[in-house]
Amino acid sequence: MDFSSKLLEQAVNEMAQLPGIGKRTALRMVLHLLKQPETQTLAMTKALEAFRTQVIFCKECHNLSDIPICEICSNPRRTNEQICVVEDIRDVMAIENTGQFKGKYHVLNGIISPIDGVGPQDLTIDALVEKVKQGEIKEVIFALSATMEGDTTIFYINKLLQPLGIRVSTIARGIPVGDELEYTDEVTLGRSILQRIPYEDSLSQ
Amino acid sequence: MDFSSKLLEQAVNEMAQLPGIGKRTALRMVLHLLKQPETQTLAMTKALEAFRTQVIFCKECHNLSDIPICEICSNPRRTNEQICVVEDIRDVMAIENTGQFKGKYHVLNGIISPIDGVGPQDLTIDALVEKVKQGEIKEVIFALSATMEGDTTIFYINKLLQPLGIRVSTIARGIPVGDELEYTDEVTLGRSILQRIPYEDSLSQ
């Protein structure tokens, strides 16, 4: 692309680094900003900067949070006996939307995926095991995508949890195999939490 | 959507104001930024702010520019005798890519579209007419979309240009190069027959 303005070119190039955004789409977005009041662009950049520099991970569950212990973890009406293990924040949002889970979460911040170079050491697995060792947790519920990577991650973590003598379950395979968890509808997702099965049983299929 | 972080929520809401970006896509983009170095987000926001607050419109052609008179308008090797009238900067870029035009441009910054509330007074039509009145321009070439709005805009401006006695033309409407004739719509095909050109002329490209 041949730009008549360096300022335009730089703005487009930066936007085009976002996932799923090509140069053409980036150009359309940037030209759109030009038709809106300057304040809109500044509000957007301020929000992005504040998010990127100030957001933190909850010390308990590793979910994104504005405060050291997130609202879910500090909610006294939620039980500490059940921990739902998820890949990332979008899965927490999806499960919260179902209203079917009253325990707490543990966000792995990824799943084991050798192809993407993500190994166990890149995830918050140690923190999860430590948390379970403290003794209050009675059940760990895996709510990961029904993919090879998800299954591998469950298999790996389950081996670490086995000696600790707690219940380990996975959400029911109401989710079509191969589908991403975050795109599952609320009813299916809610039901799959209620109908979770022991991890051993989930292998016998 | 239920966000665990206000910072996240605000960033997503701002990004979701961009055209074609829903909340889900905005969330994916914002979480992507979190996995990249902080410097990438800051480079992006700085580029957007610099663009939005510093970019100007070329005084001659109204194209986006970093300097008062853009590079095309100040290029002495381009003729002042032909002016190509386009809707916006993307059309300038598309035509420049062809390498087939050696005149200068006039960017309308839109086309007449009553449905979108865009009338002649919202475009740079007056400036175009003034420029033609100065006498150096011999031909105005309309390169607008082959739509109702494009045709209306050409009709309107042409009426203003008629008294000035210059040549007014539009880019050819025809079958796109490489397209099968049988799949071309009737209007385009009909027009391409009426506006046929000598075979020799079709080779000289």
Side-chain angles (χ1 to χ4, degrees), chain B residues 13-48:
Chain B
N13 285 343
E14 290 292 338
M15 290 297 269
Q17 290 189 44
L18 293 169
I21 305 295
K23 285 261 174 109
R24 210 180 271 272
T25 307
L27 178 60
R28 191 158 58 91
M29 296 197 302
V30 167
L31 292 179
H32 169 84
L33 289 176
L34 202 63
K35 292 188 179 172
Q36 307 298 316
E38 205 168 289
T39 48
Q40 184 180 324
T41 300
L42 298 180
M44 186 178 91
T45 56
K46 288 286 163 287
L48 288 172

Side-chain angles (χ1 to χ4, degrees), chain B residues 166-194:
Chain B
I166 54 156
R167 186 137 49 109
V168 173
S169 57
T170 72
I171 56 171
R173 314 290 198 208
I175 302 168
V177 175
D179 267 18
E180 304 273 359
L181 187 130
E182 60 179 304
Y183 299 124
T184 305
D185 68 274
E186 287 172 30
V187 178
T188 302
L189 192 52
R191 224 183 246 202
S192 73
I193 292 170
L194 290 176

Side-chain angles (χ1 to χ4, degrees), chain A residues 1-8 10-11 14-15 17-19 21 27-34 36-38 40-55 57 63-66 89-90 93 97 182-183, chain B residues 1-8 10-11 14-15 17-21 24 27-34 36-38 40-55 57 63-66 88-90 93:
Chain A
M1 281 194 192
D2 242 20
F3 291 94
S4 60
S5 155
K6 275 273 170 221
L7 292 164
L8 173 65
Q10 278 158 7
E14 291 292 339
M15 289 297 268
Q17 289 189 44
L18 293 169
I21 305 296
L27 178 60
R28 190 159 58 92
M29 296 196 302
V30 168
L31 291 179
H32 170 84
L33 289 176
L34 203 64
Q36 306 298 316
E38 204 169 288
Q40 184 181 323
T41 301
L42 298 180
M44 186 178 90
T45 56
K46 289 284 164 290
L48 288 172
E49 285 178 12
F51 165 73
R52 186 61 186 83
T53 58
Q54 292 170 32
V55 81
F57 292 100
N63 195 2
L64 285 180
S65 174
D66 300 341
I89 182 171
R90 285 173 287 189
M93 292 166 70
N97 266 342
E182 61 176 302
Y183 298 117
Chain B
M1 279 194 195
D2 242 20
F3 291 93
S4 61
S5 156
K6 275 273 170 222
L7 293 165
L8 173 65
Q10 278 158 6
E14 290 292 338
M15 290 297 269
Q17 290 189 44
L18 293 169
I21 305 295
R24 210 180 271 272
L27 178 60
R28 191 158 58 91
M29 296 197 302
V30 167
L31 292 179
H32 169 84
L33 289 176
L34 202 63
Q36 307 298 316
E38 205 168 289
Q40 184 180 324
T41 300
L42 298 180
M44 186 178 91
T45 56
K46 288 286 163 287
L48 288 172
E49 285 178 11
F51 165 73
R52 186 60 186 83
T53 58
Q54 293 170 32
V55 81
F57 292 99
N63 195 2
L64 286 180
S65 175
D66 301 341
D88 73 16
I89 182 172
R90 286 173 287 190
M93 291 166 70

